[in-house]
């Protein structure tokens, strides 16, 4: 998370605990837990309808989906809805113990205003992550016959590893090099469990030059998947800094992944149908828990999701894309995150000085954000489109995310039958 200031910071050189000026709370007297603002359920209802109407139309009317897949998707959907309600109900339980332990932050994008001085509980993504893991296990229990070949241990190992890393980062403020190492290790169980193809289709215009339609990349393809998992895990974490942006981009990508999977089940061979069904079984509960979390994290945010959520969401989407055998399409869905990573690369690599918080400048008089020279998509949008409120900027970025997903579907439709 980038849009908050931690409740405690540590001087690494002197090993002396210091407190920022904006936080005048002693360890002996933790900040009082204020009641959370009511969840923005009307907004979530509108988003859900916008996503679920075309999704259900494709399942039950447009495509002739086999009954066994319909049943499994329905069972998973019911459990996902229960997960949504459980997350929505249980999130208000966590703020008090988190504040007591000093796991809170203050919104830098509201500094100088009344909201900027309120301690906001952090790492609330842990609730969504725990309920997600529970739902996935329950689904396998209730629908075991249809999912006996699902590599559940490898899937949950990778996801749980990243949940642990995210929560550890929220509590201990882990250095970047450690996070990168851990995310690299977390992707290994996924690669070991991968039993799909390692071939790529040669574009039709290039077939005469290669003399074949398929090219087996072997370990190079697995290296690509490993790097993709690392990228997805970290990309949501660095494309952040606004209320609702981290969860919002996950909701948009997860919605696109669900629609893509249904489209492929309706048009693929039997083996491909199973792979895309596995992807749906992961993404439906991810979307459900994310929507519940967004109800509290949307502007003005009453909770921070923390790195716990960003790493959990990124790894889950990576697992869904790799086991669903559509890693190339997933990378196109992540186009804004790719752009943000390329913009961030000079600072992340140390070529250009990188501040702790690469955030826009906030003017408490007008309530508007101004872009800085830091290399993030958030700042680039502000430089391109001018000063904006935090909510307006977040909506603009999410519209761009949705436009990239729509462009991916159009591109696949245009290239089908000609390029591949």
């Amino acid at each position: 998370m980038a849009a908050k200031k931690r409740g405690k910071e540590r001087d690494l050189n002197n090993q002396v605990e210091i407190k920022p000026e904006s936080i005048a709370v002693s360890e002996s007297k933790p900040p009082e837990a204020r009641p959370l603002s009511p969840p923005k359920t009307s907004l979530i209802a509108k988003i859900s309808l916008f996503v679920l109407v075309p999704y259900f139309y494709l399942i039950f009317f447009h495509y002739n989906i086999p009954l066994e897949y319909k049943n499994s998707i329905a069972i998973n959907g019911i459990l996902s809805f229960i997960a949504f309600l459980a997350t929505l109900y249980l999130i208000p339980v966590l703020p008090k113990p988190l504040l007591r332990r000093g796991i809170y932050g203050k919104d830098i994008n509201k500094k100088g205003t009344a909201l900027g001085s309120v301690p906001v509980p952090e790492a609330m993504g842990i609730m969504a992550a725990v309920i997600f893991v529970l739902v996935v296990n329950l689904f396998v229990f209730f629908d075991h016959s249809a999912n006996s070949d699902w590599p559940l241990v490898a899937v949950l190992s990778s996801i749980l590893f990243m949940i642990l890393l995210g929560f550890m980062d929220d509590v201990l403020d882990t250095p970047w090099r450690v996070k990168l190492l851990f995310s690299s290790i977390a992707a290994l169980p996924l690669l070991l469990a991968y039993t799909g193809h390692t071939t790529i289709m040669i574009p039709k215009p290039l077939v005469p030059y290669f003399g074949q339609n398929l090219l087996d990349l072997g370990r190079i393809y697995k290296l690509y998947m490993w790097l993709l998992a690392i990228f997805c895990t970290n990309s949501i974490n660095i494309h952040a800094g606004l209320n609702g942006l981290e969860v919002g981009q996950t909701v948009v990508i997860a919605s696109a992944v669900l629609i893509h999977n249904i489209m492929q089940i309706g048009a693929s061979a039997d083996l491909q149908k199973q792979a895309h069904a596995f992807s749906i079984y992961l993404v439906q509960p991810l979307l459900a828990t994310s929507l519940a979390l967004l109800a509290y994290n949307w502007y003005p945010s009453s909770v921070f999701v923390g790195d716990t959520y960003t790493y959990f969401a990124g790894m889950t989407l990576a697992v869904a894309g790799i086991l669903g055998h559509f890693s190339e399409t997933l990378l196109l869905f992540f186009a804004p995150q790719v752009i943000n990573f390329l913009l961030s690369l000079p600072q992340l690599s140390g070529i250009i000085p990188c501040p702790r918080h690469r955030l826009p400048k906030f003017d408490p008089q007008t309530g508007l954000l101004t872009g800085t020279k830091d290399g993030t998509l958030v700042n680039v949008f502000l430089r391109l489109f001018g000063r904006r409120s935090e909510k307006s900027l977040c909506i603009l970025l999410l519209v761009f995310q949705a436009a990239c997903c729509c462009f991916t579907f159009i591109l696949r439709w245009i290239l089908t039958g000609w390029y591949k």
Side-chain angles (χ1 to χ4, degrees):
M1 290 290 292
K4 63 191 181 302
K5 185 175 286 186
R6 294 289 171 83
K8 292 186 248 182
E9 291 186 2
R10 186 172 295 275
D11 184 340
L12 297 179
N13 294 325
N14 300 321
Q15 295 296 312
V16 177
E17 193 174 85
I18 59 176
K19 301 268 197 314
E21 290 182 1
S22 60
I23 301 172
V25 178
S26 65
E27 288 190 58
S28 59
K29 187 178 180 181
E32 183 181 352
R34 301 186 182 187
L36 295 184
S37 301
K40 303 168 184 69
T41 50
S42 60
L43 172 67
I44 301 306
K46 293 175 184 177
I47 296 174
S48 300
L49 285 175
F50 187 77
V51 172
L52 295 180
V53 167
Y55 180 58
F56 287 143
Y57 170 76
L58 292 176
I59 294 176
F60 296 105
F61 299 100
H62 188 76
Y63 291 111
N64 185 21
I65 307 295
L67 183 60
E68 60 178 312
Y69 290 112
K70 281 186 180 180
N71 291 337
S72 295
I73 291 172
I75 293 173
N76 185 270
I78 293 171
L79 291 173
S80 297
F81 180 68
I82 295 173
F84 168 80
L85 297 177
T87 307
L88 201 66
Y89 176 76
L90 291 175
I91 281 178
V93 176
L94 276 183
K96 190 173 182 179
L98 288 175
L99 292 175
R100 189 186 305 122
R101 295 290 182 179
I103 306 175
Y104 66 91
K106 294 191 178 181
D107 202 327
I108 298 177
N109 284 336
K110 299 177 183 64
K111 188 176 181 180
T113 67
L115 288 176
S117 62
V118 177
V120 181
E122 198 177 331
M124 294 297 289
I126 189 67
M127 183 59 72
V130 169
I131 293 176
F132 167 86
V133 172
L134 177 62
V135 164
V136 170
N137 281 280
L138 285 175
F139 170 68
V140 175
F141 175 78
F142 284 112
D143 200 30
H144 180 72
S145 59
N147 304 284
S148 56
D149 296 329
W150 197 13
L152 181 65
V153 174
V155 167
L156 291 184
S157 294
S158 293
I159 295 175
L160 285 170
F161 204 115
M162 292 316 303
I163 294 172
L164 174 63
L165 172 61
F167 192 72
M168 183 174 68
D169 187 35
D170 284 329
V171 175
L172 303 178
D173 203 12
T174 313
W176 261 104
R177 59 183 179 274
V178 176
K179 291 188 283 188
L180 190 61
L181 174 64
F182 276 28
S183 58
S184 303
I185 296 173
L188 293 179
L190 178 61
L191 297 183
L192 293 175
Y194 181 77
T195 57
H197 64 81
T198 57
T199 60
I200 59 172
M201 292 183 64
I202 304 297
K204 290 184 178 180
L206 300 179
V207 168
Y209 299 98
F210 283 85
Q212 55 186 353
N213 295 325
L214 298 175
L215 178 64
D216 190 0
L217 298 180
R219 293 183 178 179
I220 297 177
Y221 190 81
K222 289 198 172 185
L223 175 63
Y224 156 73
M225 291 190 297
W226 182 58
L227 294 175
L228 177 66
I230 297 172
F231 169 76
C232 291
T233 301
N234 290 278
S235 62
I236 292 178
N237 185 52
I238 64 174
H239 184 36
L242 305 175
N243 290 173
L245 180 57
E246 298 92 328
V247 190
Q249 61 187 290
T250 301
V251 167
V252 173
I253 297 172
S255 302
V257 167
L258 285 178
I259 292 174
H260 171 72
N261 280 321
I262 286 298
M263 292 173 66
Q264 293 304 304
I265 289 177
S268 300
D270 288 340
L271 293 178
Q272 289 298 317
K273 290 181 191 295
Q274 189 179 46
H276 288 289
F278 288 163
S279 179
I280 289 175
Y281 304 152
L282 286 175
V283 177
Q284 280 190 157
L286 171 65
L287 179 60
T289 53
S290 296
L291 284 170
L293 189 56
L294 186 62
Y296 291 98
N297 184 241
W298 187 250
Y299 182 93
S301 177
S302 54
V303 302
F304 288 142
V305 298
D307 293 338
T308 306
Y309 176 80
T310 58
Y311 287 134
F312 147 66
M315 179 56 80
T316 304
L317 289 171
V319 171
I322 291 172
L323 291 185
H325 301 166
F326 59 95
S327 56
E328 298 89 347
T329 300
L330 181 67
L331 194 58
L332 291 175
F333 288 152
F334 271 80
Q337 288 73 24
V338 173
I339 296 171
N340 184 68
F341 173 73
L342 295 176
L343 292 170
S344 302
L345 201 54
Q347 288 183 310
L348 296 178
S349 60
I351 298 175
I352 299 175
C354 182
R356 176 177 173 81
H357 299 295
R358 301 184 301 154
L359 294 175
K361 292 182 179 179
F362 175 70
D363 184 356
Q365 301 299 323
T366 62
L368 300 179
L369 298 173
T370 303
T372 66
K373 294 182 179 180
D374 289 316
T376 65
L377 196 60
V378 170
N379 284 305
V380 168
F381 264 55
L382 284 171
R383 296 201 295 267
L384 288 175
F385 300 104
R387 303 172 68 198
R388 286 178 173 269
S389 67
E390 183 178 359
K391 182 178 179 180
S392 172
L393 178 60
C394 184
I395 292 174
L396 184 63
L397 287 165
L398 294 181
V399 168
F400 178 63
Q401 182 83 59
C404 290
C405 292
C406 292
F407 174 75
T408 300
F409 286 115
I410 295 172
L411 186 64
R412 285 181 57 90
W413 177 73
I414 291 174
L415 296 181
T416 299
W418 172 75
Y419 189 71
K420 284 190 176 182

